[in-house]
Amino acid sequence: LLNSASALGEEKQKQLYKGIYDDSMWLINLVENLLSVTRLEDGTMNLNLQIELVDEVIEGALKHISRDHSDYELKFIHSEELLLAKMDAKLIVQVIINLVDNAIKYTPRGSEIRISTFRKDNWAVISVSDDGPGISDENKKQIFDMFYTGSNRVADSRRSLGLGLSLCKSIINAHGGSISVSDNVPHGTVFTFTLPAEEVQLHE
């Protein structure tokens, strides 16, 4: 572009500019994720903990899903009760975005991605499930490791730097919760994480 933009034609220029923009946004996101993981792991990130309505935070996250998911069936199953949890909403939004983006990345077009919430004892439970090909038991053991990708490609092979799930784990651990992966039935994957639930205060 610097040396021969005029010779490339407008359409080719636009195509190259879009590629540069997409790669720049990917790199910014990668660096921000790396910084976040580092700060969470060494305890230098201060969580802004507030009592939030879980369903509202999830709805906010779904508005920010960056990737076009029109080819996927995205469903949100609300909890039957008013579900409150103590969290840093901005970070939990990032967890939900990462889990949904991960489901989109590893499932074929037309797949159903379902988000559901419920309370179990003193925990708010949030799950993101898909009906894709699923994850092998071997890959499940390492899926939250930094730079690990399920397809065992070289960690830097284009868009496959496996930071998203490692960041999710760091965020949930910092909240005192847990995150896990399991099989969906009859096929697919379920990611489940927990946050400390809060009691609903009813004022007369």
Side-chain angles (χ1 to χ4, degrees), residues 9-10 12 34-35 54 64-65 85 95 97 110 114 121 127 129 138 155 163-164 174 176 189 193:
E10 192 175 338
K12 184 63 176 176
L34 260 175
L35 289 171
V54 173
H64 289 92
I65 298 292
V95 170
I97 289 171
R114 183 176 295 209
D121 301 326
S127 69
S129 63
E138 190 60 38
L163 268 173
T189 303
F193 67 90

Side-chain angles (χ1 to χ4, degrees), residues 156-167:
D156 195 20
S157 71
R158 218 42 199 135
R159 306 251 185 243
S160 63
L161 255 170
L163 268 173
L165 294 177
S166 176
L167 178 60

Side-chain angles (χ1 to χ4, degrees), residues 103 105-108 111 130-136 140 183-184 186-189:
K105 185 177 178 182
Y106 290 107
T107 57
S111 297
D130 65 63
D131 57 1
I135 299 169
S136 71
K140 284 194 196 80
D183 292 328
N184 200 1
H187 57 86
T189 303

Side-chain angles (χ1 to χ4, degrees), residues 37 41 138-150 155 160-170 179 191:
V37 170
E41 293 294 329
E138 190 60 38
N139 284 339
K140 284 194 196 80
K141 294 174 189 173
Q142 298 165 283
I143 200 153
F144 294 108
D145 294 348
M146 195 182 294
F147 303 123
Y148 182 79
T149 59
S160 63
L161 255 170
L163 268 173
L165 294 177
S166 176
L167 178 60
C168 290
K169 184 179 180 182
S170 296
I179 186 167
F191 283 93

Side-chain angles (χ1 to χ4, degrees), residues 1-188:
L1 281 168
L2 285 170
N3 295 325
S4 55
S6 56
L8 291 170
E10 192 175 338
E11 193 58 40
K12 184 63 176 176
Q13 284 183 47
K14 281 184 180 177
Q15 187 183 340
L16 290 171
Y17 283 131
K18 186 180 183 305
I20 292 167
Y21 176 81
D22 287 347
D23 284 356
S24 300
M25 294 307 293
W26 173 77
L27 192 58
I28 289 167
N29 187 55
L30 170 65
V31 172
E32 286 178 347
N33 280 355
L34 260 175
L35 289 171
S36 295
V37 170
T38 304
R39 289 172 186 152
L40 285 162
E41 293 294 329
D42 66 14
T44 57
M45 180 180 281
N46 295 319
L47 299 185
N48 178 26
L49 295 175
Q50 305 286 337
I51 296 173
E52 305 279 357
L53 197 58
V54 173
D55 285 6
E56 279 187 1
V57 173
I58 291 172
E59 284 168 356
L62 294 179
K63 289 176 186 172
H64 289 92
I65 298 292
S66 57
R67 202 170 310 201
D68 178 19
H69 58 258
S70 59
D71 292 333
Y72 294 81
E73 194 174 350
L74 199 55
K75 288 185 178 178
F76 178 23
I77 314 300
H78 294 257
S79 56
E80 293 180 1
E81 59 183 305
L82 207 60
L83 192 57
L84 296 172
K86 186 172 276 190
M87 69 178 87
D88 185 321
K90 188 178 176 184
L91 291 176
I92 297 304
V93 162
Q94 187 63 52
V95 170
I96 295 159
I97 289 171
N98 283 2
L99 291 177
V100 172
D101 272 352
N102 188 73
I104 289 171
K105 185 177 178 182
Y106 290 107
T107 57
R109 294 181 188 277
S111 297
E112 180 182 283
I113 298 166
R114 183 176 295 209
I115 303 168
S116 58
T117 59
F118 61 94
R119 180 171 179 145
K120 185 176 182 183
D121 301 326
N122 296 322
W123 299 98
V125 183
I126 299 99
S127 69
V128 178
S129 63
D130 65 63
D131 57 1
I135 299 169
S136 71
D137 289 343
E138 190 60 38
N139 284 339
K140 284 194 196 80
K141 294 174 189 173
Q142 298 165 283
I143 200 153
F144 294 108
D145 294 348
M146 195 182 294
F147 303 123
Y148 182 79
T149 59
S151 55
N152 288 324
R153 288 171 291 187
V154 176
D156 195 20
S157 71
R158 218 42 199 135
R159 306 251 185 243
S160 63
L161 255 170
L163 268 173
L165 294 177
S166 176
L167 178 60
C168 290
K169 184 179 180 182
S170 296
I171 290 171
I172 298 305
N173 285 350
H175 280 76
S178 62
I179 186 167
S180 61
V181 60
S182 58
D183 292 328
N184 200 1
V185 179
H187 57 86

